[in-house]
């Protein structure tokens, strides 16, 4: 329900797939490319991490430790993936 991406300046950035997307069964696999990501930047905090654990976004201690590195994250309300086999702009 959350994944890391790399910004154009090579900085890793955490994206959470919004609850409405999860409810619809949307998911991202390693290697997927996104054409469009719409949502909001949010501040990361201990209370967010605790809520993510309760919601099942983080399923183990390792995922929490990784997410603790983020000072902010992007909560996506829309993600449009590049169709498989089209290559996108790699």
């Amino acid at each position: 329900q959350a994944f890391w991406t790399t910004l154009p300046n090579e900085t890793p950035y955490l994206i959470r797939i919004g609850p409405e997307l999860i409810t619809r069964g949307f998911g991202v696999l390693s290697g997927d490319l996104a054409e469009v990501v719409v949502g909001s930047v949010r501040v990361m905090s201990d209370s967010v991490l605790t809520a993510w654990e309760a919601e099942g976004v983080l399923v183990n201690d390792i995922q929490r430790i990784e997410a603790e590195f983020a000072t902010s994250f992007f909560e996506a309300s829309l993600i449009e993936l590049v169709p498989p086999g089209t290559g996108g702009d790699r």
Side-chain angles (χ1 to χ4, degrees):
Q1 296 183 19
F3 62 93
W4 290 92
T5 191
T6 304
L7 299 177
N9 66 0
E10 300 299 318
T11 303
Y13 202 79
L14 186 61
I15 296 180
R16 179 189 178 178
I17 300 170
E20 62 281 353
L21 292 175
I22 296 297
T23 300
R24 293 195 312 239
F26 181 84
V28 176
L29 300 174
S30 180
D32 281 350
L33 295 174
E35 292 182 300
V36 176
V37 180
V38 176
S40 301
V41 174
R42 309 245 188 242
V43 174
M44 181 58 79
S45 66
D46 285 337
S47 61
V48 169
L49 293 167
T50 300
W52 284 14
E53 286 178 320
E55 295 168 23
V57 176
L58 305 174
V59 296
N60 58 46
D61 291 340
I62 293 171
Q63 288 182 348
R64 182 178 173 118
I65 290 167
E66 288 177 356
E68 287 174 349
F69 283 101
T71 57
S72 64
F73 65 95
F74 192 86
E75 186 165 289
S77 57
L78 172 70
I79 301 174
E80 292 181 6
L81 298 177
V82 174
T86 62
D89 289 331
R90 286 192 180 219

